Amino acid sequence: MDQVNSFESPTTVRLHRTEYLAGLAVSLGFFIAHIGDVRWLPAIVLFVYIDLIGYIPGAIAYRKSPDKHIPKTYYVLYNTMHSLLTQGLVIGLWVLISGWEWALLVVPIHLCADRGVFGNFMKPFALPFEPVPNAEFAELSRNLFAKPRATATTATTAASGVVGSGR
């Protein structure tokens, strides 16, 4: 993916998810190392509220919808609640108001698990709320990633119509 082509290959998706798995491992490591210092009520609330606000309402609406089209509000709720920026702000405000505590690690644990383990990233408006294979994207992926890419020289030569020039 780059600034012009906003899609990922199967390899870059795996690499992206691996980065979040590393974040999950670090967060879990610190959480487990300090498990005796964790206040469980805030930990549970912080872990669950992300999905209570950001996922469950949209999932219910999606399942109840006969055509599986739901208002964009549900996508915005999901993307807002599952944003590293939003949750960073929540953690920052918590620290400013109440001070640091180990329960706060459940927030990166939640987000890193969603991305690294489950592969859930931001939800685009153009796709169903729940994961469903998209035939057009599957075809694009096959066309782009299932066959060897032409080198820049080969592509330039083919585009100019010059074949076998020895250059």
Side-chain angles (χ1 to χ4, degrees):
M1 178 165 78
D2 58 35
Q3 64 273 24
V4 177
N5 303 290
S6 58
F7 54 83
E8 296 192 65
S9 71
T11 301
T12 56
V13 168
R14 284 191 297 274
L15 291 170
H16 206 175
R17 288 179 70 178
T18 300
E19 289 181 340
Y20 281 101
L21 287 173
L24 176 61
V26 169
S27 299
L28 274 173
F30 280 115
F31 187 82
I32 292 167
H34 296 279
I35 202 134
D37 299 319
V38 171
R39 288 191 319 134
W40 287 100
L41 183 58
I44 292 167
V45 169
L46 285 165
F47 189 86
V48 172
Y49 96 102
I50 295 170
D51 283 341
L52 282 176
I53 297 170
Y55 172 68
I56 292 172
I60 291 169
Y62 180 81
R63 284 170 180 76
K64 285 185 172 184
S65 171
D67 65 357
K68 305 303 181 201
H69 288 93
I70 61 173
K72 291 180 179 179
T73 303
Y74 294 112
Y75 291 78
V76 172
L77 282 171
Y78 181 91
N79 292 341
T80 300
M81 294 307 296
H82 288 82
S83 166
L84 295 169
L85 296 174
T86 300
Q87 297 310 321
L89 180 63
V90 169
I91 290 171
L93 287 171
W94 188 293
V95 170
L96 283 173
I97 293 167
S98 300
W100 168 259
E101 63 177 292
W102 294 107
L104 293 170
L105 284 173
V106 300
V107 172
I109 288 169
H110 182 126
L111 298 178
C112 289
D114 273 359
R115 291 179 170 106
V117 175
F118 302 112
N120 294 327
F121 290 85
M122 297 296 177
K123 293 190 180 291
F125 294 146
L127 296 176
F129 189 81
E130 295 289 9
V132 174
N134 179 282
E136 293 157 335
F137 185 75
E139 182 179 350
L140 174 67
S141 294
R142 276 192 305 278
N143 289 337
L144 285 175
F145 308 122
K147 56 187 172 185
R149 273 180 21 138
T151 63
T153 305
T154 305
T156 303
T157 303
S160 68
V162 179
V163 178
S165 66
R167 293 185 194 204

